[in-house]
Amino acid sequence: MSAPHSGETGAPGSPERATTRRWWGLVIIALAQLMVVLDATIVNIALPSAQRALGMSDGNRQWVITAYTLAFGGLLLLGGRIADLVGRKRTFVFGLIGFALASAFGGAATTPGMLFGARALQGAFAAVLAPSALSLLTTTFTEPKERGKAFGVYSALAGSGSAIGLIAGGLLTEYLNWRWCLYVNIPIAAVGVIGAFALLPDPPGNAGARLDIPGVLLGCGGLVAIVYGVSEAEPRGWTDPLVPALLAGGTVLLTAFAFWQAKAPSPLLPLHIIGDRTRAGCFLTMALAVIGMFGMFLFTTYYLQVILGYSPVTTGLAFLPMTAAIVICTTQISARLLRHVVPRVLMVPGTLLATSGLLFFTHLKVDTDYAGHLLPGLILLGLGMGLIFMPIFATATAGVAPQDSGVTSATVNTSQQVGGSIGTALLNTIATTSGAAYIAAHLTGPAQKALTVREGIVHGYTVAIWWAGGIMLLAGLVAGLMVTSKAPVHATAPARVPESVP
């Protein structure tokens, strides 16, 4: 039998085979993105077990979370620019391998310091991996119809990854042990590396450009200072001298960074990327929306375990309806409609739906039932975030020159990560302060202490979630006023990168 011609279905180099490769490549990209996002929350439910096993103090245990978010959020811009300079496939594979090694190191930790260091390394490699993944997606899927479907899948995982992390963390902690919340990344990364070599295109980096060292120091230093300052506000309080000093120092560094980028020969973050009104609106909307979402994760996790007495696995599974709502809304509604409507037509109603979901959590009591209050709120929030995430990812990266796709992708991830870090610290401080004030005002005697303390904790949660709802509405206002572009289908797509066919 003669060999098939190049134009026949399934033949090497045929359009059908190229399309199949792209969609299998999406599976690898999505798998890597899922690993990065869920690792921000997978250890949350396992934290009490890890604390007991390694003898962590209550004051230091937050570093298991903060070390990851600090390195991730602070180094994303650098990771994005490295992807542009070296090549996205290379940095993608490098990030996967490094993430797996850091996870193995953390899973084998015998001291708190080893675990903190491993989490920081995970965050650093995630800062290389995440922008490479989104950049590969942007340069691989350029046809409008395919682009909408691909970004729908990617956005569904980005939006639901945190909830999936809570579910996975509960299952692994209850049926294995807390170390598997880290070890699980090793087989995922191995599949990702094999798939990347076999399926992903290899667009060349911009070898002639130089890395902006002053920009790295100013930009990454400023982000690290701000994320670190906000993270320290949780255990220390906002009035501790270290917190405002870090926030002020970070602001000064970022201001200097902006001035330097305007005249740098090879800027770390070209100002035209954030100078575009629609793109800047997407970044800001993402940061604000994630504040409300992460606040809900934090308080609902503690409410279910501490107040209602749920087990880790039951707590994780309680978030499953929200995860399903995000996936269904993103892939079946947002991905289909974005080809026909402007992005803010999805984003603004999404923030309203998410806000209505958060309002259900403002009525929590010490004995609130899950089906009557928590379940409707989770579903509405999931539907709302499904309408928000996909348009942001697709719009923010549309029409970007290939040499800037990595740093643009990094900026989207930075807004998500920094928004989550700031939101967690801010809302937790509000909850703690409000709860303490309630307890002080209502504690009448030792006989009522236990109930009053529980009521005070829940009151703090509800006050913080009111704030989260207000911030979510602000995200909708920003999207409505700033995201004025047409649908990404109408934008100028970057040139297609030739398929790498063996």
Side-chain angles (χ1 to χ4, degrees), residues 366-402:
V366 293
D367 56 353
T368 298
D369 66 299
Y370 174 82
H373 286 80
L374 294 176
L375 180 59
L378 288 168
I379 292 174
L380 285 172
L381 184 63
L383 293 173
M385 298 310 291
L387 290 175
I388 296 171
F389 276 121
M390 190 271 176
I392 288 179
F393 281 118
T395 305
T397 57
V400 177

PDB file of all heavy atoms in Angstrom, residues 366-402:
ATOM      1  N   VAL A 366     -24.066  29.708  63.377  1.00  0.00           N
ATOM      2  CA  VAL A 366     -23.266  28.586  63.869  1.00  0.00           C
ATOM      3  C   VAL A 366     -23.879  27.242  63.490  1.00  0.00           C
ATOM      4  O   VAL A 366     -23.206  26.209  63.555  1.00  0.00           O
ATOM      5  CB  VAL A 366     -23.091  28.660  65.404  1.00  0.00           C
ATOM      6  CG1 VAL A 366     -22.251  29.863  65.786  1.00  0.00           C
ATOM      7  CG2 VAL A 366     -24.434  28.687  66.113  1.00  0.00           C
ATOM      8  N   ASP A 367     -25.142  27.241  63.071  1.00  0.00           N
ATOM      9  CA  ASP A 367     -25.797  25.975  62.714  1.00  0.00           C
ATOM     10  C   ASP A 367     -26.442  26.035  61.332  1.00  0.00           C
ATOM     11  O   ASP A 367     -27.404  25.333  61.044  1.00  0.00           O
ATOM     12  CB  ASP A 367     -26.857  25.619  63.757  1.00  0.00           C
ATOM     13  CG  ASP A 367     -27.904  26.731  63.940  1.00  0.00           C
ATOM     14  OD1 ASP A 367     -27.718  27.826  63.349  1.00  0.00           O
ATOM     15  OD2 ASP A 367     -28.885  26.505  64.663  1.00  0.00           O
ATOM     16  N   THR A 368     -25.903  26.862  60.438  1.00  0.00           N
ATOM     17  CA  THR A 368     -26.466  26.985  59.091  1.00  0.00           C
ATOM     18  C   THR A 368     -26.334  25.660  58.333  1.00  0.00           C
ATOM     19  O   THR A 368     -25.289  25.017  58.397  1.00  0.00           O
ATOM     20  CB  THR A 368     -25.749  28.097  58.310  1.00  0.00           C
ATOM     21  OG1 THR A 368     -25.950  29.337  58.990  1.00  0.00           O
ATOM     22  CG2 THR A 368     -26.298  28.214  56.887  1.00  0.00           C
ATOM     23  N   ASP A 369     -27.379  25.278  57.617  1.00  0.00           N
ATOM     24  CA  ASP A 369     -27.323  24.032  56.873  1.00  0.00           C
ATOM     25  C   ASP A 369     -26.656  24.261  55.522  1.00  0.00           C
ATOM     26  O   ASP A 369     -26.778  25.328  54.913  1.00  0.00           O
ATOM     27  CB  ASP A 369     -28.726  23.443  56.681  1.00  0.00           C
ATOM     28  CG  ASP A 369     -29.606  24.319  55.801  1.00  0.00           C
ATOM     29  OD1 ASP A 369     -29.848  25.474  56.200  1.00  0.00           O
ATOM     30  OD2 ASP A 369     -30.029  23.852  54.728  1.00  0.00           O
ATOM     31  N   TYR A 370     -25.962  23.240  55.054  1.00  0.00           N
ATOM     32  CA  TYR A 370     -25.211  23.328  53.797  1.00  0.00           C
ATOM     33  C   TYR A 370     -26.137  23.493  52.599  1.00  0.00           C
ATOM     34  O   TYR A 370     -25.937  24.363  51.743  1.00  0.00           O
ATOM     35  CB  TYR A 370     -24.363  22.057  53.632  1.00  0.00           C
ATOM     36  CG  TYR A 370     -23.652  21.960  52.303  1.00  0.00           C
ATOM     37  CD1 TYR A 370     -22.458  22.628  52.082  1.00  0.00           C
ATOM     38  CD2 TYR A 370     -24.186  21.183  51.269  1.00  0.00           C
ATOM     39  CE1 TYR A 370     -21.805  22.542  50.855  1.00  0.00           C
ATOM     40  CE2 TYR A 370     -23.546  21.086  50.044  1.00  0.00           C
ATOM     41  CZ  TYR A 370     -22.357  21.763  49.841  1.00  0.00           C
ATOM     42  OH  TYR A 370     -21.724  21.678  48.630  1.00  0.00           O
ATOM     43  N   ALA A 371     -27.192  22.670  52.512  1.00  0.00           N
ATOM     44  CA  ALA A 371     -28.051  22.671  51.327  1.00  0.00           C
ATOM     45  C   ALA A 371     -28.823  23.976  51.164  1.00  0.00           C
ATOM     46  O   ALA A 371     -29.039  24.437  50.048  1.00  0.00           O
ATOM     47  CB  ALA A 371     -29.029  21.495  51.395  1.00  0.00           C
ATOM     48  N   GLY A 372     -29.211  24.583  52.257  1.00  0.00           N
ATOM     49  CA  GLY A 372     -30.052  25.774  52.171  1.00  0.00           C
ATOM     50  C   GLY A 372     -29.312  27.060  51.896  1.00  0.00           C
ATOM     51  O   GLY A 372     -29.858  27.970  51.268  1.00  0.00           O
ATOM     52  N   HIS A 373     -28.063  27.173  52.371  1.00  0.00           N
ATOM     53  CA  HIS A 373     -27.337  28.441  52.232  1.00  0.00           C
ATOM     54  C   HIS A 373     -26.021  28.306  51.469  1.00  0.00           C
ATOM     55  O   HIS A 373     -25.745  29.067  50.556  1.00  0.00           O
ATOM     56  CB  HIS A 373     -27.078  29.035  53.615  1.00  0.00           C
ATOM     57  CG  HIS A 373     -28.281  29.635  54.262  1.00  0.00           C
ATOM     58  ND1 HIS A 373     -29.227  28.878  54.905  1.00  0.00           N
ATOM     59  CD2 HIS A 373     -28.692  30.930  54.354  1.00  0.00           C
ATOM     60  CE1 HIS A 373     -30.186  29.670  55.373  1.00  0.00           C
ATOM     61  NE2 HIS A 373     -29.882  30.917  55.055  1.00  0.00           N
ATOM     62  N   LEU A 374     -25.206  27.336  51.862  1.00  0.00           N
ATOM     63  CA  LEU A 374     -23.884  27.226  51.249  1.00  0.00           C
ATOM     64  C   LEU A 374     -23.961  26.754  49.801  1.00  0.00           C
ATOM     65  O   LEU A 374     -23.285  27.305  48.915  1.00  0.00           O
ATOM     66  CB  LEU A 374     -23.012  26.273  52.066  1.00  0.00           C
ATOM     67  CG  LEU A 374     -22.650  26.738  53.484  1.00  0.00           C
ATOM     68  CD1 LEU A 374     -21.873  25.655  54.206  1.00  0.00           C
ATOM     69  CD2 LEU A 374     -21.845  28.016  53.435  1.00  0.00           C
ATOM     70  N   LEU A 375     -24.767  25.743  49.532  1.00  0.00           N
ATOM     71  CA  LEU A 375     -24.840  25.174  48.177  1.00  0.00           C
ATOM     72  C   LEU A 375     -25.297  26.194  47.132  1.00  0.00           C
ATOM     73  O   LEU A 375     -24.645  26.340  46.087  1.00  0.00           O
ATOM     74  CB  LEU A 375     -25.746  23.944  48.176  1.00  0.00           C
ATOM     75  CG  LEU A 375     -25.910  23.237  46.825  1.00  0.00           C
ATOM     76  CD1 LEU A 375     -24.565  22.769  46.299  1.00  0.00           C
ATOM     77  CD2 LEU A 375     -26.885  22.054  46.967  1.00  0.00           C
ATOM     78  N   PRO A 376     -26.395  26.948  47.360  1.00  0.00           N
ATOM     79  CA  PRO A 376     -26.781  27.953  46.353  1.00  0.00           C
ATOM     80  C   PRO A 376     -25.706  29.022  46.153  1.00  0.00           C
ATOM     81  O   PRO A 376     -25.456  29.458  45.027  1.00  0.00           O
ATOM     82  CB  PRO A 376     -28.065  28.562  46.928  1.00  0.00           C
ATOM     83  CG  PRO A 376     -28.578  27.556  47.894  1.00  0.00           C
ATOM     84  CD  PRO A 376     -27.373  26.877  48.456  1.00  0.00           C
ATOM     85  N   GLY A 377     -25.059  29.430  47.236  1.00  0.00           N
ATOM     86  CA  GLY A 377     -24.016  30.432  47.117  1.00  0.00           C
ATOM     87  C   GLY A 377     -22.832  29.938  46.313  1.00  0.00           C
ATOM     88  O   GLY A 377     -22.280  30.671  45.477  1.00  0.00           O
ATOM     89  N   LEU A 378     -22.425  28.695  46.545  1.00  0.00           N
ATOM     90  CA  LEU A 378     -21.304  28.125  45.803  1.00  0.00           C
ATOM     91  C   LEU A 378     -21.616  28.016  44.311  1.00  0.00           C
ATOM     92  O   LEU A 378     -20.767  28.317  43.461  1.00  0.00           O
ATOM     93  CB  LEU A 378     -20.965  26.735  46.370  1.00  0.00           C
ATOM     94  CG  LEU A 378     -20.301  26.711  47.751  1.00  0.00           C
ATOM     95  CD1 LEU A 378     -20.286  25.287  48.301  1.00  0.00           C
ATOM     96  CD2 LEU A 378     -18.888  27.269  47.682  1.00  0.00           C
ATOM     97  N   ILE A 379     -22.835  27.593  43.971  1.00  0.00           N
ATOM     98  CA  ILE A 379     -23.201  27.439  42.562  1.00  0.00           C
ATOM     99  C   ILE A 379     -23.230  28.796  41.858  1.00  0.00           C
ATOM    100  O   ILE A 379     -22.691  28.962  40.755  1.00  0.00           O
ATOM    101  CB  ILE A 379     -24.558  26.723  42.436  1.00  0.00           C
ATOM    102  CG1 ILE A 379     -24.432  25.262  42.905  1.00  0.00           C
ATOM    103  CG2 ILE A 379     -25.071  26.786  41.001  1.00  0.00           C
ATOM    104  CD1 ILE A 379     -25.743  24.513  42.955  1.00  0.00           C
ATOM    105  N   LEU A 380     -23.838  29.795  42.499  1.00  0.00           N
ATOM    106  CA  LEU A 380     -23.902  31.132  41.890  1.00  0.00           C
ATOM    107  C   LEU A 380     -22.505  31.728  41.727  1.00  0.00           C
ATOM    108  O   LEU A 380     -22.190  32.339  40.692  1.00  0.00           O
ATOM    109  CB  LEU A 380     -24.782  32.050  42.746  1.00  0.00           C
ATOM    110  CG  LEU A 380     -26.285  31.815  42.663  1.00  0.00           C
ATOM    111  CD1 LEU A 380     -27.013  32.668  43.698  1.00  0.00           C
ATOM    112  CD2 LEU A 380     -26.804  32.134  41.265  1.00  0.00           C
ATOM    113  N   LEU A 381     -21.666  31.552  42.738  1.00  0.00           N
ATOM    114  CA  LEU A 381     -20.303  32.063  42.634  1.00  0.00           C
ATOM    115  C   LEU A 381     -19.556  31.365  41.504  1.00  0.00           C
ATOM    116  O   LEU A 381     -18.822  32.005  40.735  1.00  0.00           O
ATOM    117  CB  LEU A 381     -19.569  31.863  43.960  1.00  0.00           C
ATOM    118  CG  LEU A 381     -18.146  32.433  44.027  1.00  0.00           C
ATOM    119  CD1 LEU A 381     -18.147  33.942  43.868  1.00  0.00           C
ATOM    120  CD2 LEU A 381     -17.469  32.043  45.341  1.00  0.00           C
ATOM    121  N   GLY A 382     -19.724  30.048  41.377  1.00  0.00           N
ATOM    122  CA  GLY A 382     -19.069  29.311  40.311  1.00  0.00           C
ATOM    123  C   GLY A 382     -19.514  29.760  38.932  1.00  0.00           C
ATOM    124  O   GLY A 382     -18.700  29.951  38.028  1.00  0.00           O
ATOM    125  N   LEU A 383     -20.823  29.975  38.763  1.00  0.00           N
ATOM    126  CA  LEU A 383     -21.321  30.457  37.482  1.00  0.00           C
ATOM    127  C   LEU A 383     -20.764  31.844  37.159  1.00  0.00           C
ATOM    128  O   LEU A 383     -20.375  32.130  36.018  1.00  0.00           O
ATOM    129  CB  LEU A 383     -22.856  30.492  37.494  1.00  0.00           C
ATOM    130  CG  LEU A 383     -23.571  29.140  37.571  1.00  0.00           C
ATOM    131  CD1 LEU A 383     -25.069  29.341  37.751  1.00  0.00           C
ATOM    132  CD2 LEU A 383     -23.295  28.304  36.319  1.00  0.00           C
ATOM    133  N   GLY A 384     -20.719  32.697  38.169  1.00  0.00           N
ATOM    134  CA  GLY A 384     -20.189  34.042  37.961  1.00  0.00           C
ATOM    135  C   GLY A 384     -18.729  34.037  37.569  1.00  0.00           C
ATOM    136  O   GLY A 384     -18.320  34.723  36.613  1.00  0.00           O
ATOM    137  N   MET A 385     -17.913  33.252  38.267  1.00  0.00           N
ATOM    138  CA  MET A 385     -16.486  33.209  37.940  1.00  0.00           C
ATOM    139  C   MET A 385     -16.256  32.580  36.576  1.00  0.00           C
ATOM    140  O   MET A 385     -15.302  32.915  35.870  1.00  0.00           O
ATOM    141  CB  MET A 385     -15.726  32.432  39.020  1.00  0.00           C
ATOM    142  CG  MET A 385     -15.808  33.055  40.426  1.00  0.00           C
ATOM    143  SD  MET A 385     -15.423  34.809  40.517  1.00  0.00           S
ATOM    144  CE  MET A 385     -13.673  34.807  40.161  1.00  0.00           C
ATOM    145  N   GLY A 386     -17.134  31.676  36.168  1.00  0.00           N
ATOM    146  CA  GLY A 386     -17.031  31.094  34.835  1.00  0.00           C
ATOM    147  C   GLY A 386     -17.247  32.122  33.738  1.00  0.00           C
ATOM    148  O   GLY A 386     -16.689  32.010  32.640  1.00  0.00           O
ATOM    149  N   LEU A 387     -18.060  33.138  34.018  1.00  0.00           N
ATOM    150  CA  LEU A 387     -18.278  34.218  33.057  1.00  0.00           C
ATOM    151  C   LEU A 387     -17.166  35.262  33.097  1.00  0.00           C
ATOM    152  O   LEU A 387     -17.026  36.041  32.156  1.00  0.00           O
ATOM    153  CB  LEU A 387     -19.621  34.909  33.337  1.00  0.00           C
ATOM    154  CG  LEU A 387     -20.885  34.105  33.035  1.00  0.00           C
ATOM    155  CD1 LEU A 387     -22.121  34.876  33.476  1.00  0.00           C
ATOM    156  CD2 LEU A 387     -20.982  33.773  31.551  1.00  0.00           C
ATOM    157  N   ILE A 388     -16.395  35.282  34.170  1.00  0.00           N
ATOM    158  CA  ILE A 388     -15.343  36.298  34.333  1.00  0.00           C
ATOM    159  C   ILE A 388     -14.012  35.818  33.785  1.00  0.00           C
ATOM    160  O   ILE A 388     -13.352  36.510  33.005  1.00  0.00           O
ATOM    161  CB  ILE A 388     -15.193  36.678  35.827  1.00  0.00           C
ATOM    162  CG1 ILE A 388     -16.474  37.338  36.339  1.00  0.00           C
ATOM    163  CG2 ILE A 388     -13.994  37.610  36.020  1.00  0.00           C
ATOM    164  CD1 ILE A 388     -16.493  37.535  37.849  1.00  0.00           C
ATOM    165  N   PHE A 389     -13.575  34.623  34.177  1.00  0.00           N
ATOM    166  CA  PHE A 389     -12.211  34.182  33.901  1.00  0.00           C
ATOM    167  C   PHE A 389     -11.927  34.037  32.412  1.00  0.00           C
ATOM    168  O   PHE A 389     -10.913  34.510  31.910  1.00  0.00           O
ATOM    169  CB  PHE A 389     -11.922  32.855  34.609  1.00  0.00           C
ATOM    170  CG  PHE A 389     -11.498  33.020  36.023  1.00  0.00           C
ATOM    171  CD1 PHE A 389     -12.219  32.446  37.068  1.00  0.00           C
ATOM    172  CD2 PHE A 389     -10.370  33.750  36.353  1.00  0.00           C
ATOM    173  CE1 PHE A 389     -11.826  32.600  38.380  1.00  0.00           C
ATOM    174  CE2 PHE A 389      -9.963  33.908  37.660  1.00  0.00           C
ATOM    175  CZ  PHE A 389     -10.692  33.337  38.676  1.00  0.00           C
ATOM    176  N   MET A 390     -12.807  33.345  31.686  1.00  0.00           N
ATOM    177  CA  MET A 390     -12.510  33.048  30.288  1.00  0.00           C
ATOM    178  C   MET A 390     -12.354  34.316  29.440  1.00  0.00           C
ATOM    179  O   MET A 390     -11.384  34.451  28.686  1.00  0.00           O
ATOM    180  CB  MET A 390     -13.591  32.115  29.725  1.00  0.00           C
ATOM    181  CG  MET A 390     -13.268  31.539  28.359  1.00  0.00           C
ATOM    182  SD  MET A 390     -13.857  32.630  27.060  1.00  0.00           S
ATOM    183  CE  MET A 390     -13.234  31.790  25.617  1.00  0.00           C
ATOM    184  N   PRO A 391     -13.264  35.303  29.521  1.00  0.00           N
ATOM    185  CA  PRO A 391     -13.062  36.530  28.756  1.00  0.00           C
ATOM    186  C   PRO A 391     -11.786  37.279  29.130  1.00  0.00           C
ATOM    187  O   PRO A 391     -11.149  37.894  28.269  1.00  0.00           O
ATOM    188  CB  PRO A 391     -14.307  37.369  29.084  1.00  0.00           C
ATOM    189  CG  PRO A 391     -15.325  36.381  29.518  1.00  0.00           C
ATOM    190  CD  PRO A 391     -14.571  35.292  30.207  1.00  0.00           C
ATOM    191  N   ILE A 392     -11.402  37.228  30.402  1.00  0.00           N
ATOM    192  CA  ILE A 392     -10.183  37.919  30.814  1.00  0.00           C
ATOM    193  C   ILE A 392      -8.962  37.285  30.162  1.00  0.00           C
ATOM    194  O   ILE A 392      -8.125  37.977  29.567  1.00  0.00           O
ATOM    195  CB  ILE A 392     -10.047  37.907  32.352  1.00  0.00           C
ATOM    196  CG1 ILE A 392     -11.068  38.858  32.977  1.00  0.00           C
ATOM    197  CG2 ILE A 392      -8.627  38.293  32.770  1.00  0.00           C
ATOM    198  CD1 ILE A 392     -11.032  38.902  34.486  1.00  0.00           C
ATOM    199  N   PHE A 393      -8.823  35.964  30.271  1.00  0.00           N
ATOM    200  CA  PHE A 393      -7.657  35.287  29.690  1.00  0.00           C
ATOM    201  C   PHE A 393      -7.598  35.498  28.177  1.00  0.00           C
ATOM    202  O   PHE A 393      -6.542  35.773  27.617  1.00  0.00           O
ATOM    203  CB  PHE A 393      -7.697  33.793  30.008  1.00  0.00           C
ATOM    204  CG  PHE A 393      -7.243  33.453  31.397  1.00  0.00           C
ATOM    205  CD1 PHE A 393      -8.107  32.847  32.292  1.00  0.00           C
ATOM    206  CD2 PHE A 393      -5.951  33.729  31.810  1.00  0.00           C
ATOM    207  CE1 PHE A 393      -7.697  32.527  33.572  1.00  0.00           C
ATOM    208  CE2 PHE A 393      -5.534  33.410  33.089  1.00  0.00           C
ATOM    209  CZ  PHE A 393      -6.395  32.809  33.968  1.00  0.00           C
ATOM    210  N   ALA A 394      -8.737  35.369  27.506  1.00  0.00           N
ATOM    211  CA  ALA A 394      -8.750  35.486  26.054  1.00  0.00           C
ATOM    212  C   ALA A 394      -8.510  36.920  25.599  1.00  0.00           C
ATOM    213  O   ALA A 394      -7.784  37.162  24.630  1.00  0.00           O
ATOM    214  CB  ALA A 394     -10.081  34.979  25.505  1.00  0.00           C
ATOM    215  N   THR A 395      -9.107  37.885  26.278  1.00  0.00           N
ATOM    216  CA  THR A 395      -9.005  39.282  25.859  1.00  0.00           C
ATOM    217  C   THR A 395      -7.640  39.871  26.180  1.00  0.00           C
ATOM    218  O   THR A 395      -7.054  40.595  25.376  1.00  0.00           O
ATOM    219  CB  THR A 395     -10.108  40.120  26.537  1.00  0.00           C
ATOM    220  OG1 THR A 395     -11.385  39.535  26.263  1.00  0.00           O
ATOM    221  CG2 THR A 395     -10.099  41.546  26.023  1.00  0.00           C
ATOM    222  N   ALA A 396      -7.115  39.564  27.363  1.00  0.00           N
ATOM    223  CA  ALA A 396      -5.835  40.146  27.773  1.00  0.00           C
ATOM    224  C   ALA A 396      -4.688  39.686  26.894  1.00  0.00           C
ATOM    225  O   ALA A 396      -3.701  40.407  26.727  1.00  0.00           O
ATOM    226  CB  ALA A 396      -5.548  39.805  29.231  1.00  0.00           C
ATOM    227  N   THR A 397      -4.789  38.486  26.325  1.00  0.00           N
ATOM    228  CA  THR A 397      -3.685  37.948  25.521  1.00  0.00           C
ATOM    229  C   THR A 397      -3.936  38.063  24.024  1.00  0.00           C
ATOM    230  O   THR A 397      -3.088  37.650  23.231  1.00  0.00           O
ATOM    231  CB  THR A 397      -3.445  36.468  25.872  1.00  0.00           C
ATOM    232  OG1 THR A 397      -4.659  35.725  25.677  1.00  0.00           O
ATOM    233  CG2 THR A 397      -3.003  36.314  27.316  1.00  0.00           C
ATOM    234  N   ALA A 398      -5.066  38.624  23.618  1.00  0.00           N
ATOM    235  CA  ALA A 398      -5.387  38.720  22.199  1.00  0.00           C
ATOM    236  C   ALA A 398      -4.597  39.844  21.532  1.00  0.00           C
ATOM    237  O   ALA A 398      -4.440  40.933  22.093  1.00  0.00           O
ATOM    238  CB  ALA A 398      -6.886  38.970  22.008  1.00  0.00           C
ATOM    239  N   GLY A 399      -4.096  39.589  20.336  1.00  0.00           N
ATOM    240  CA  GLY A 399      -3.437  40.613  19.558  1.00  0.00           C
ATOM    241  C   GLY A 399      -2.061  41.014  20.046  1.00  0.00           C
ATOM    242  O   GLY A 399      -1.509  42.016  19.585  1.00  0.00           O
ATOM    243  N   VAL A 400      -1.482  40.249  20.971  1.00  0.00           N
ATOM    244  CA  VAL A 400      -0.156  40.573  21.495  1.00  0.00           C
ATOM    245  C   VAL A 400       0.908  40.003  20.560  1.00  0.00           C
ATOM    246  O   VAL A 400       0.778  38.877  20.063  1.00  0.00           O
ATOM    247  CB  VAL A 400       0.018  40.000  22.918  1.00  0.00           C
ATOM    248  CG1 VAL A 400       1.419  40.274  23.449  1.00  0.00           C
ATOM    249  CG2 VAL A 400      -1.017  40.598  23.845  1.00  0.00           C
ATOM    250  N   ALA A 401       1.959  40.763  20.317  1.00  0.00           N
ATOM    251  CA  ALA A 401       3.042  40.274  19.465  1.00  0.00           C
ATOM    252  C   ALA A 401       3.662  39.027  20.082  1.00  0.00           C
ATOM    253  O   ALA A 401       3.767  38.922  21.312  1.00  0.00           O
ATOM    254  CB  ALA A 401       4.108  41.356  19.302  1.00  0.00           C
ATOM    255  N   PRO A 402       4.068  38.050  19.267  1.00  0.00           N
ATOM    256  CA  PRO A 402       4.618  36.805  19.808  1.00  0.00           C
ATOM    257  C   PRO A 402       5.763  37.016  20.785  1.00  0.00           C
ATOM    258  O   PRO A 402       5.867  36.295  21.780  1.00  0.00           O
ATOM    259  CB  PRO A 402       5.091  36.064  18.539  1.00  0.00           C
ATOM    260  CG  PRO A 402       4.213  36.579  17.451  1.00  0.00           C
ATOM    261  CD  PRO A 402       3.962  38.026  17.782  1.00  0.00           C
TER     262      PRO A 402
END
